[in-house]
Amino acid sequence: MKFSISKIISKHLIKLVFIFSIIFFINTIFNIFIYGQSSSESDISDIYKYEGYKINKIEIQGLINVSKDEVLMMLPFSEGNEIDVYDFSRIIQILFSSGYFENIEVSIKPYDAGSVIVVIKVKEFPMVYNVTFSGNKKIKKGDVEKSLIIKKGDFFSPFLQKKQIDELKKLYSSKGFEKLEVTISTEKAKDKNGNILENYVNVKIELKEPKRIIITKIEFLNNKVFSSCVLANEMKTKTYLRILFEIRDGVFQEEQFREDLEKIKLKYYSKGYLDVKFENIEKKVIEKEEEIHLEIYIKIDEGQVYYFDDFKILGNKVFDKEEILKGIEIKNNVPYDRSFFEKIKEKIKQFYSNYGFIFSVVIMEEDIDFNTRKVNVSYTIFENSRAHLRNIYIKGNTKTKDYVILRELMFKEGEVFNVGKITQSIYNLYNTQFFSFIDVQIKPTDYTDIVDLIIIVEEGPTGSLKFGGFYQPGGGWEGFGLNGEYSQKNLLGLGYNISTSLNISFKELQVSFNFYDRWFLNQPLILGTSFSYQNQLLTNQLSDNDKNGVPDPFNTMDQYKTTLEANPSYYSNNPSYLMNYNKGSFNFSISFGRRWIPFHSLSFGTFLNFSSYVPTKDYQNYIPWISENNDSSLPITDNLWKSFSIFTIYEFDSRDYVLMARKGFWFKQRIDYYGGFLGGNTNFIRTITTINFNYGLFWDIAYHFTTQVGFLFRQFDGSLNIDRQNYFYINGNYDVRGWMSVGYLFGRAKFSIINELEREVFKGYLNALLFFDIGSLFDTPENFLKISLNDLYFSYGFGLKLMFQQLPFRFYITKRFKIVNNEVVDYNPGFFNWMFVLSFGDFMIF
């Protein structure tokens, strides 16, 4: 066969000329449409001859509902500027994009020798006065209203009309109703007196609903590698399910179904079945009177398994292969997992981004030998140059000062772009609990290796003011009281955390104030202080008239605890061992520390407490039991208990978000030194260790594991005096939930374990969780080493957590049990016998 070069050239030349002519024609028509007709004085197509002229005046004609100032703000120039051809070429495009106008004409009139008048003539779209809809019988009115994008006050345009139709069809399609018919019409709007409103319309939306399509069957054919159940779990498309009420809607959506098929392919790819395909997909439609049933049959050709052979990295100049793949284990001669190697590609990209190469490109290629079914993988890296940060812009903060946000960032202007630092900075900002939403955007500049960064924040509520009443059970009318609390996590937008509270009743007066600053003097320094005063009448309290350090009438703590465990009503039946007294106490603490952002902090502080115990008139000769006292004499002088201590706290915290951590580790060690050379009545040393681990699971479920261990040791000189408030207790609200208000559960050593599975129900507002708690208390630290199953307290259950920062409310439903002599003792016997636990604040507090 002979080829004529000249014929081929001429043939293609004719095609090029034809294509060029079409393009020229379209461009001509476009310019005519854009620039409109010429005015009698000047045509805008002559704009080039006015380039450089001064704009003396801008006239806007045809405005009804849009203000002149609003149009002027949209223009890329203003009066006094010089004519710029590029700016004028964008006028009509900019004004059309506003959605206000259906027609725009622009002209230029000479004013004098060096200036012109710009005339813009517009015709507005009518404005929506009212919107009504009808015909919805199968979809709730509220759902339809949520999908309305045509609102009162909008400009009614063909674009908005089409968008509204698409939105309604999308709503009905999501509910299983395909081929919805939507008719949108308008009529002139009238006021209350029946007068026509100029350029206003009422919009009517009429819906004609089709039959609902529900999936009644999905069946896989010829699948051997994976069971039908496993494949079905990969799909979001599900069959209809109803048990008393609708559990699954069984809606078929074509786009979602295609995504599900791709997920099934990925499942096969993970096992090396690269040739998997769907031989046939049959959709069987069964028409019913009220709805349409759909049966789907998916026939699969699984193919054969392929094996991974080898891989290579090309194009890497800055980093060697070992650096790039550090921590990544790749095995040869195993079924080829395509998704695994796709993840390696992303890790390589992430690796380069962490060092500032955000414009790097990684291309993954598979070399497949179809005879041997071996796969070789190559990654070609185009490193490009490192990107540097030029400017950092903060947007969206109306209260929080810019510097409060900037100081949480792990990077500064001029540094190399680092994705890892940006991610950690987002965690830092979220953990301030000032913001409900944070977004980071990269803005390119005129330089290929320089970018600007825009940090967009949405501030959440950080302050609360609460008033209320309370009642102390058993207190009669004297148990009624009032309380108030004010807290602010971001005072004046400066990042200061303060809170103050007041409780007042016939039996109690309590005032407290707390201040905490994580950025003292705008440095990563910690400053915290608090003080409180409390005066309360305590009734039916334990006495220690024989001064043996044990509640009357017992001689040892073992006798006391054993008796109460066997008979919790012992003191109710023997009230002569109880007494009433007034307790007044003043507490003050101050702490100072240093943070090494983002993970480490170390702080030191001191705590002072003065408490007086004054028996009431009827109990003048009684002595209150306040402390286990091994010196066999009550260490109270003039009814005043003095406690002085110093403490140190070290924390390591890598959690991504403290309110709902999905990854990260938290370690906290606190040591308190009471008495000793500081003096006072209290003498002991306390240590508390907290370890928390978090891991994100499937279905957005997070697993939290938290354990705490605490000990109260003797002072270095062997002395031991502990006031009751410093013992360890099983709280019951925060740890080993359900075991609360049990007087005998206290000791000098404690440990607890909390296991939680948590998932967001409404993001940022409400979480649901399952929990299993274990805890125990010990008379002495030495007994901790002798722990047995009989010492453990267990609880399990489920609950809800409100995520509002001002109201950290927790509601749990729990069951309690113990193991005694290898037998389970149920403290809530019966299926319906559960305990209800309400708590406020954060969990795991000693």
Side-chain angles (χ1 to χ4, degrees):
M1 183 179 292
K2 296 182 179 179
F3 295 92
S4 171
I5 299 297
S6 60
K7 285 184 179 181
I8 293 174
I9 293 175
S10 61
K11 182 179 179 181
H12 286 281
L13 187 60
I14 291 170
K15 286 184 177 180
L16 289 172
V17 171
F18 177 74
I19 292 171
F20 178 78
S21 300
I22 294 295
I23 293 173
F24 179 77
F25 175 76
I26 292 173
N27 186 63
T28 302
I29 295 299
F30 177 75
N31 281 294
I32 291 173
F33 172 74
I34 288 296
Y35 294 114
Q37 298 178 354
S38 63
S39 70
S40 59
E41 298 171 62
S42 173
D43 194 294
I44 197 169
S45 60
D46 296 332
I47 187 175
Y48 289 99
K49 71 180 183 183
Y50 293 112
E51 186 165 16
Y53 276 53
K54 183 180 178 181
I55 301 173
N56 183 275
K57 187 179 180 182
I58 300 174
E59 294 181 359
I60 315 292
Q61 300 175 0
L63 295 177
I64 300 175
N65 294 311
V66 183
S67 69
K68 180 180 177 180
D69 289 340
E70 194 170 357
V71 177
L72 292 175
M73 287 181 63
M74 289 188 279
L75 297 179
F77 53 78
S78 59
E79 294 177 354
N81 293 155
E82 294 182 351
I83 291 287
D84 183 276
V85 174
Y86 173 71
D87 285 343
F88 265 77
S89 68
R90 298 189 298 132
I91 295 175
I92 294 179
Q93 178 188 357
I94 291 172
L95 294 181
F96 266 131
S97 66
S98 69
Y100 297 164
F101 311 111
E102 63 175 296
N103 189 43
I104 303 166
E105 295 179 8
V106 182
S107 60
I108 299 175
K109 298 189 298 186
Y111 181 76
D112 55 28
S115 65
V116 297
I117 298 174
V118 177
V119 180
I120 302 174
K121 187 177 181 180
V122 300
K123 182 181 179 182
E124 295 180 2
F125 284 117
M127 186 169 279
V128 178
Y129 186 72
N130 192 25
V131 183
T132 58
F133 59 88
S134 60
N136 59 303
K137 298 177 182 178
K138 302 172 183 176
I139 298 292
K140 294 179 182 178
K141 179 182 177 181
D143 291 337
V144 177
E145 288 176 340
K146 288 178 183 178
S147 69
L148 292 182
I149 58 174
I150 299 177
K151 307 285 187 182
K152 183 176 181 178
D154 288 344
F155 287 90
F156 185 76
S157 65
F159 171 75
L160 189 63
Q161 181 176 344
K162 182 181 182 305
K163 193 174 180 182
Q164 180 63 80
I165 292 173
D166 292 341
E167 202 67 25
L168 287 167
K169 286 184 175 181
K170 182 180 177 182
L171 167 67
Y172 270 80
S173 178
S174 69
K175 304 291 186 181
F177 299 92
E178 300 293 341
K179 298 181 180 180
L180 171 73
E181 294 182 21
V182 184
T183 302
I184 299 180
S185 60
T186 62
E187 63 180 15
K188 292 184 178 180
K190 298 179 181 180
D191 62 16
K192 294 180 180 179
N193 298 321
N195 300 317
I196 293 177
L197 299 172
E198 184 182 0
N199 214 39
Y200 277 89
V201 294
N202 290 325
V203 179
K204 292 183 178 181
I205 303 174
E206 296 180 18
L207 307 173
K208 188 176 180 181
E209 297 175 326
K211 287 184 179 181
R212 185 186 187 191
I213 303 174
I214 60 172
I215 304 171
T216 56
K217 188 176 185 179
I218 299 177
E219 185 174 334
F220 295 93
L221 306 173
N222 289 357
N223 52 304
K224 298 177 182 176
V225 178
F226 297 108
S227 68
S228 295
C229 181
V230 170
L231 296 179
N233 284 336
E234 293 294 316
M235 303 176 68
K236 288 186 178 180
T237 303
K238 303 290 185 182
T239 57
Y240 178 79
L241 179 60
R242 181 184 183 89
I243 303 176
L244 297 180
F245 57 89
E246 186 178 292
I247 297 174
R248 283 201 309 256
D249 56 18
V251 169
F252 179 82
Q253 293 178 282
E254 186 65 43
E255 185 176 345
Q256 182 60 62
F257 183 66
R258 288 197 298 267
E259 289 180 9
D260 291 338
L261 294 180
E262 289 303 312
K263 286 182 67 177
I264 290 174
K265 281 187 177 181
L266 291 176
K267 186 72 175 177
Y268 275 94
Y269 292 163
S270 69
K271 296 296 183 181
Y273 289 87
L274 303 184
D275 295 333
V276 64
K277 60 184 179 181
F278 302 103
E279 282 188 321
N280 184 42
I281 298 175
E282 181 185 354
K283 298 172 187 173
K284 186 178 178 181
V285 176
I286 303 172
E287 190 92 18
K288 298 288 185 180
E289 184 178 349
E290 294 293 329
E291 57 196 11
I292 298 174
H293 290 185
L294 179 64
E295 296 180 354
I296 303 174
Y297 299 89
I298 305 171
K299 189 176 181 181
I300 301 176
D301 180 1
E302 296 177 327
Q304 293 181 307
V305 64
Y306 286 73
Y307 293 87
F308 171 68
D309 187 31
D310 202 1
F311 78 101
K312 56 185 176 181
I313 294 180
L314 306 173
N316 54 310
K317 299 175 183 178
V318 179
F319 304 101
D320 57 35
K321 179 179 176 181
E322 286 70 25
E323 285 181 281
I324 296 172
L325 297 178
K326 186 176 181 181
I328 300 175
E329 183 180 359
I330 302 175
K331 297 180 180 180
N332 298 73
N333 299 316
V334 296
Y336 176 67
D337 184 349
R338 178 174 285 170
S339 60
F340 172 75
F341 287 93
E342 288 282 358
K343 289 177 183 177
I344 291 179
K345 171 188 169 182
E346 295 305 316
K347 287 183 179 180
I348 294 173
K349 173 69 176 172
Q350 181 70 37
F351 175 84
Y352 271 87
S353 295
N354 286 340
Y355 288 95
F357 294 89
I358 62 172
F359 300 115
S360 63
V361 178
V362 182
I363 298 175
M364 172 184 161
E365 294 180 294
E366 297 173 337
D367 181 13
I368 303 175
D369 188 327
F370 293 97
N371 294 321
T372 61
R373 299 200 304 281
K374 295 285 187 178
V375 182
N376 292 303
V377 179
S378 63
Y379 299 100
T380 303
I381 303 171
F382 297 92
E383 295 176 328
N384 297 319
S385 57
R386 271 192 175 101
H388 287 74
L389 290 173
R390 185 177 65 178
N391 298 314
I392 300 173
Y393 299 100
I394 309 296
K395 292 186 177 181
N397 53 315
T398 58
K399 180 177 67 174
T400 308
K401 307 300 183 186
D402 281 0
Y403 76 86
V404 173
I405 297 173
L406 290 171
R407 69 191 184 187
E408 296 291 343
L409 305 183
M410 303 298 297
F411 52 85
K412 297 179 180 179
E413 294 176 345
E415 288 189 6
V416 172
F417 190 97
N418 187 305
V419 172
K421 287 185 176 182
I422 291 175
T423 302
Q424 184 59 51
S425 299
I426 294 174
Y427 294 158
N428 292 351
L429 289 172
Y430 269 122
N431 284 328
T432 63
Q433 300 183 33
F434 301 162
F435 310 105
S436 59
F437 175 78
I438 301 167
D439 186 31
V440 177
Q441 298 178 357
I442 301 171
K443 181 182 178 183
T445 66
D446 295 334
Y447 304 95
T448 57
D449 58 347
I450 296 177
V451 296
D452 291 338
L453 208 64
I454 303 173
I455 299 175
I456 303 171
V457 300
E458 182 179 305
E459 293 173 316
T462 56
S464 68
L465 180 62
K466 293 181 289 187
F467 293 97
F470 64 89
Y471 175 72
Q472 296 173 329
W477 62 273
E478 295 179 338
F480 288 98
L482 299 173
N483 59 10
E485 179 182 336
Y486 172 74
S487 66
Q488 175 58 257
K489 293 179 180 290
N490 188 15
L491 182 66
L492 302 176
L494 301 174
Y496 301 138
N497 189 330
I498 68 164
S499 66
T500 182
S501 66
L502 170 67
N503 293 335
I504 185 169
S505 70
F506 293 98
K507 284 189 172 184
E508 179 181 8
L509 171 65
Q510 181 179 1
V511 181
S512 68
F513 175 80
N514 300 279
F515 172 84
Y516 184 73
D517 185 11
R518 298 169 66 249
W519 286 92
F520 182 57
L521 301 177
N522 207 32
Q523 298 295 319
L525 302 175
I526 301 170
L527 176 65
T529 185
S530 69
F531 69 83
S532 65
Y533 171 76
Q534 184 180 35
N535 192 304
Q536 60 184 150
L537 171 63
L538 298 175
T539 58
N540 297 321
Q541 300 297 304
L542 300 175
S543 63
D544 185 19
N545 296 319
D546 56 7
K547 300 182 181 181
N548 65 353
V550 179
D552 292 337
F554 304 104
N555 295 316
T556 67
M557 291 303 298
D558 284 339
Q559 290 178 354
Y560 165 73
K561 291 183 179 182
T562 302
T563 301
L564 259 68
E565 188 166 6
N567 182 14
S569 303
Y570 176 80
Y571 282 107
S572 299
N573 299 327
N574 297 276
S576 61
Y577 299 118
L578 300 177
M579 65 175 294
N580 301 338
Y581 58 82
N582 287 290
K583 178 185 177 182
S585 62
F586 174 81
N587 300 288
F588 173 78
S589 72
I590 187 168
S591 62
F592 184 80
R594 172 76 159 84
R595 294 188 303 128
W596 290 267
I597 300 173
F599 302 133
H600 302 273
S601 68
L602 180 64
S603 58
F604 302 89
T606 184
F607 177 80
L608 311 177
N609 166 254
F610 298 91
S611 296
S612 63
Y613 299 82
V614 181
T616 60
K617 182 179 180 180
D618 296 332
Y619 298 92
Q620 290 292 326
N621 298 321
Y622 280 65
I623 297 175
W625 179 73
I626 298 171
S627 163
E628 177 182 357
N629 171 36
N630 291 347
D631 295 333
S632 71
S633 62
L634 192 65
I636 296 183
T637 304
D638 298 327
N639 294 323
L640 182 66
W641 183 283
K642 301 181 291 293
S643 181
F644 309 125
S645 70
I646 54 177
F647 60 85
T648 180
I649 302 172
Y650 166 74
E651 279 192 80
F652 174 89
D653 193 349
S654 65
R655 291 174 293 177
D656 54 350
Y657 185 40
V658 295
L659 293 180
M660 174 59 178
R662 286 187 173 85
K663 65 178 181 179
F665 178 79
W666 177 40
F667 173 82
K668 181 178 180 180
Q669 179 63 60
R670 174 170 181 148
I671 301 175
D672 297 81
Y673 179 94
Y674 278 81
F677 69 88
L678 299 174
N681 301 110
T682 307
N683 289 279
F684 65 89
I685 298 172
R686 177 173 60 195
T687 69
I688 301 176
T689 305
T690 305
I691 298 174
N692 170 248
F693 171 77
N694 305 278
Y695 187 74
L697 302 174
F698 47 86
W699 299 333
D700 293 327
I701 295 174
Y703 170 64
H704 312 304
F705 170 85
T706 307
T707 182
Q708 284 189 325
V709 180
F711 298 101
L712 297 175
F713 295 105
R714 292 177 176 273
Q715 257 296 350
F716 292 121
D717 61 0
S719 61
L720 182 70
N721 295 311
I722 310 169
D723 52 329
R724 290 188 64 184
Q725 65 187 19
N726 279 311
Y727 278 112
F728 290 129
Y729 291 83
I730 285 183
N731 181 281
N733 289 295
Y734 309 106
D735 54 16
V736 203
R737 281 159 279 198
W739 291 94
M740 70 279 288
S741 303
V742 183
Y744 55 84
L745 293 183
F746 66 91
R748 285 176 49 205
K750 171 186 175 180
F751 98 96
S752 63
I753 294 175
I754 285 181
N755 296 275
E756 289 184 331
L757 292 174
E758 185 172 2
R759 190 181 193 278
E760 291 179 323
V761 178
F762 299 107
K763 187 174 179 62
Y765 297 99
L766 183 68
N767 288 10
L769 58 89
L770 302 173
F771 64 86
F772 181 74
D773 299 344
I774 307 172
S776 189
L777 291 161
F778 307 90
D779 291 338
T780 66
E782 293 78 17
N783 286 343
F784 177 80
L785 300 176
K786 304 174 184 178
I787 187 171
S788 69
L789 273 176
N790 293 336
D791 298 320
L792 302 180
Y793 295 85
F794 299 87
S795 69
Y796 64 91
F798 55 95
L800 296 171
K801 293 168 60 175
L802 279 179
M803 302 304 289
F804 296 111
Q805 297 168 9
Q806 301 82 0
L807 186 63
F809 174 78
R810 312 288 189 255
F811 171 68
Y812 304 113
I813 298 176
T814 180
K815 281 217 175 225
R816 306 172 301 160
F817 69 95
K818 286 193 69 177
I819 298 177
V820 180
N821 299 324
N822 296 322
E823 292 186 4
V824 176
V825 179
D826 189 349
Y827 280 72
N828 300 99
F831 181 79
F832 295 102
N833 186 13
W834 293 74
M835 283 196 66
F836 297 93
V837 179
L838 298 176
S839 63
F840 296 87
D842 296 326
F843 70 98
M844 293 303 292
I845 301 174
F846 276 124

